[in-house]
Amino acid sequence: MQKTSARLLALLSLLQTHRDRSGDDLAGRLGITPRTVRRDIDRLRELGYPVRAAKGPSGGYRLDAGAHLPPLLFDDGQAVALALALRSAESDETIGEDAARALVTVRQVMPPRLRRRIDTLRVTAVRPPGAAGASPVGTGLLAELGRVIDAREELRFDYGADAAGASGVSGAAGVPGASGAAGAAGWPRRVQPHHLVTWRDRWYLVAWDLDRDDWRTFRADRIRPRTPTGPRFTPRELPGEDVAAFVAGRFRGTDGSTTDWPCRGEVVLGLPAEAVAPFARDGIVEELGPDRCRLTLGSWSWTGLATTIGHFDADIQVIGPPELTSAFAELAARYAAVATGRSQTIPGSVPAP
């Protein structure tokens, strides 16, 4: 005979099938007597499970709707936080449907007072521009990546590009550490997986690339694992303070050991500070007068920084460093060549009519 705890779990599983089961049926399936079934039903009720009994020839036992989880010991703040998290996740292409079903399940086992509070919460998760171009990542793939990370097993996978292009990071072409498509050559990537992270509505695998002898970030929606997995490995220490700092640094064009931008400059713009501040991202804006302000801003390259500053469409005075002045000069020459028709045709481009 099963131990009491194991038997109660088996009984609970049978009662969750949304149909009445007689005591004799339950006793036969569990290999116990009807009297033991009645005692176990009482134990489940004492634990907080709402087991309903129906009398008559067609009667039996069943678990009331919504009781798929053990009694949840949440205080009011935890219940609200849980509901907010699940509602925010409903827009996620990967786990949105599961989050919506989880919220329904959790809501049903909460007392009416908390249920009413949750029902008043209306959250709209706004996805950043460009996020719609990401392919959805199946929960099965995320679970497998989580498993190999936890087991510390080397992973082999094909890595393919999608509509976003060959860069491993959409919208960050040229950023060091962003892994591009390598599956086209016919050989799999071999990595030691360390962390699964999300960044701007996309899932990434942070791993040590065995063939390139360096850290890489791989978009999960481009990963196609191969089996079997490789041998176990000893995890390496990430550069930087933690995985969040490492990923932020990589997407800023550094080696991941710092979250500072590799290129930072200072300019004076012919615009009021209140017009610049909403678009300065993590830059510093200082008011110099009614129509002038100082802007200190960073980027992953000097040319990228000069281009970003040019978006303000105002008079610009470069305070420093000299590299930023050179970047403006390079851009000016490039744009002048385009304006006068002297620009060279890029191989593979479509000729102008």
Side-chain angles (χ1 to χ4, degrees), residues 24-182:
D24 291 338
D25 179 32
L26 293 171
R29 289 177 176 271
L30 297 173
I32 57 179
T33 65
R35 182 180 179 182
T36 303
V37 169
R38 291 192 294 271
R39 287 203 303 264
D40 287 347
I41 292 292
D42 290 338
R43 290 191 180 98
L44 289 178
R45 287 170 175 163
E46 291 172 359
L47 291 172
Y49 291 96
V51 180
R52 181 174 58 83
K55 297 181 179 180
S58 60
Y61 300 98
R62 70 180 304 174
L63 199 63
D64 276 351
H68 293 274
L69 292 175
L72 302 179
L73 303 179
F74 291 139
D75 59 31
D76 290 14
Q78 291 174 322
V80 172
L82 179 60
L84 281 173
L86 291 173
R87 286 200 187 279
S88 299
E90 286 179 344
S91 64
D92 188 280
E93 293 185 2
T94 301
I95 61 173
E97 183 179 346
D98 291 334
R101 291 192 295 108
L103 181 59
V104 171
T105 301
V106 171
R107 178 189 175 278
Q108 289 177 335
V109 297
M110 286 183 175
R113 176 179 54 81
L114 285 182
R115 194 179 307 165
R116 284 192 295 272
R117 289 194 64 184
I118 291 174
D119 290 343
T120 62
L121 291 172
R122 292 293 180 265
V123 180
T124 301
V126 179
R127 305 185 68 193
S135 302
V137 183
T139 54
L141 174 60
L142 295 179
E144 174 61 15
L145 294 179
R147 186 195 67 79
V148 294
I149 291 172
D150 182 69
R152 299 178 180 178
E153 295 177 355
E154 291 183 5
L155 179 66
R156 298 182 307 127
F157 58 87
D158 296 310
Y159 194 62
D162 59 12
S167 172
V169 180
S170 177
V175 176
S179 297

Side-chain angles (χ1 to χ4, degrees), residues 178-295:
S179 297
W187 61 83
R189 303 297 287 262
R190 298 187 310 115
V191 303
Q192 294 176 345
H194 280 66
H195 297 278
L196 191 62
V197 301
T198 58
W199 176 271
R200 295 184 178 178
D201 271 17
R202 286 199 173 106
W203 290 88
Y204 292 90
L205 175 68
V206 177
W208 177 263
D209 193 312
L210 293 168
D211 295 321
R212 289 156 181 78
D213 199 33
D214 193 13
W215 290 101
R216 290 290 190 269
T217 53
F218 299 93
R219 268 179 49 176
D221 60 320
R222 296 177 177 176
I223 293 176
R224 301 294 179 268
R226 290 194 180 189
T227 55
T229 54
R232 294 180 181 273
F233 64 91
T234 301
R236 301 169 184 264
E237 185 175 348
L238 271 173
E241 300 175 0
D242 51 33
V243 63
F246 171 80
V247 172
R250 279 291 172 130
F251 277 86
R252 287 187 169 187
T254 73
D255 61 358
S257 60
T258 177
T259 57
D260 293 335
W261 289 106
C263 303
R264 185 173 292 275
E266 184 178 342
V267 299
V268 173
L269 296 176
L271 287 173
E274 59 267 23
V276 175
F279 307 100
R281 300 180 304 185
D282 57 350
I284 301 173
V285 181
E286 302 174 63
E287 183 178 359
L288 299 178
D291 297 313
R292 297 172 68 243
C293 68
R294 179 184 289 110
L295 172 65

